[in-house]
């Protein structure tokens, strides 16, 4: 059934976007089917949330259709879509639209992080009385906590090499 759906989509579309099925659980068939029908360009990224993301191609009738296999958790889907899929789709469409703005803001709380992966924490950016941008998280940062995304107006982007950010540190924020 999945093979039939992918083949049909590959005949009709330039890109396919799925959610779930790209990790290593018993019901995770998307990556294996992507490999069977074409190739997996990359899988598992050093990013949180969103690690079990896959991107590949399905070859069908002398066409190559891009397949974005997004994670299953709602926040992970939104973050990987914003970071990878939206820019790719815009480029595929020939768009020259400016990317979402990245700003610098002072964190008003400790942002715990170990080096070794990029973390996108949902945040709320405001302006201080002095006119500086400041940011706090929206609470629980679990990849299944949809309310953290609904309350956010930006993603606090803690880079791959970065460690814990202390109160008053400047951090990058991708505005939503």
């Amino acid at each position: 059934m999945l093979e039939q759906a992918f083949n049909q989509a590959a005949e009709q579309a330039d890109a396919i976007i799925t959610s779930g099925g790209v990790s290593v659980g018993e019901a995770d068939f998307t990556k294996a089917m992507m490999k069977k029908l074409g190739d997996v360009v990359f899988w598992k990224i050093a990013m949180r949330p969103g690690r079990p993301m896959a991107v590949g191609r399905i070859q069908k009738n002398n066409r190559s259709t891009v397949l974005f296999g997004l994670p299953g958790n709602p926040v992970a889907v939104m973050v990987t879509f914003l970071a990878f899929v939206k820019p790719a789709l815009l480029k595929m469409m020939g768009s020259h639209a400016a990317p979402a703005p990245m700003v610098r803001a002072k964190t008003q709380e400790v942002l715990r992080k170990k080096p070794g992966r990029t973390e996108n924490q949902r945040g709320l950016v405001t302006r201080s009385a002095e006119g500086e941008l400041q940011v706090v998280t929206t609470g629980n940062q679990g990849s299944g906590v949809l309310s953290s995304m609904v309350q956010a107006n930006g993603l606090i982007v803690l880079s791959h090499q970065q460690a814990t950010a202390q109160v008053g540190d400047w951090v990058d924020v991708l505005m939503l």
Side-chain angles (χ1 to χ4, degrees):
M1 181 109 119
L2 184 61
E3 182 173 359
Q4 179 183 354
F6 279 175
N7 279 324
Q8 183 178 357
E11 289 175 2
Q12 300 173 8
D14 296 322
I16 301 167
I17 303 170
T18 66
S19 176
V22 292
S23 196
V24 292
E26 285 183 30
D28 292 323
F29 305 116
T30 301
K31 185 178 73 89
M33 189 58 62
M34 189 186 305
K35 191 171 187 174
K36 178 180 179 181
L37 300 176
D39 65 346
V40 177
V41 177
F42 68 83
W43 175 59
K44 287 189 179 178
I45 54 177
M47 187 171 99
R48 179 178 175 203
R51 182 172 188 260
M53 179 186 173
V55 174
R57 288 183 219 96
I58 294 181
Q59 309 296 334
K60 184 74 176 166
N61 297 332
N62 296 322
R63 303 177 34 114
S64 181
T65 301
V66 178
L67 192 150
F68 299 96
L70 304 182
N73 287 321
V75 175
V77 169
M78 286 187 253
V79 170
T80 53
F81 181 86
L82 291 170
F84 295 96
V85 181
K86 182 179 178 183
L89 292 176
L90 288 171
K91 185 170 178 122
M92 289 170 68
M93 293 185 314
S95 174
H96 299 290
M102 182 80 76
V103 300
R104 301 276 290 159
K106 264 189 188 178
T107 180
Q108 302 301 296
E109 63 187 286
V110 173
L111 303 173
R112 301 202 185 288
K113 182 194 172 293
K114 293 180 183 174
R117 68 177 171 204
T118 298
E119 286 196 21
N120 294 278
Q121 297 187 14
R122 279 74 69 204
L124 182 61
V125 176
T126 58
R127 196 168 294 280
S128 71
E130 297 79 30
E132 291 182 330
L133 293 179
Q134 55 190 19
V135 66
V136 294
T137 65
T138 55
N140 185 337
Q141 296 293 301
S143 62
V145 182
L146 192 55
S147 62
S148 68
M149 193 71 174
V150 171
Q151 297 166 1
N153 65 359
L155 292 175
I156 304 167
V157 181
L158 303 172
S159 70
H160 193 76
Q161 306 84 355
Q162 188 172 356
T164 295
Q166 302 299 324
V167 173
D169 285 353
W170 290 93
V171 293
D172 291 324
V173 181
L174 177 66
M175 297 305 295
L176 300 176

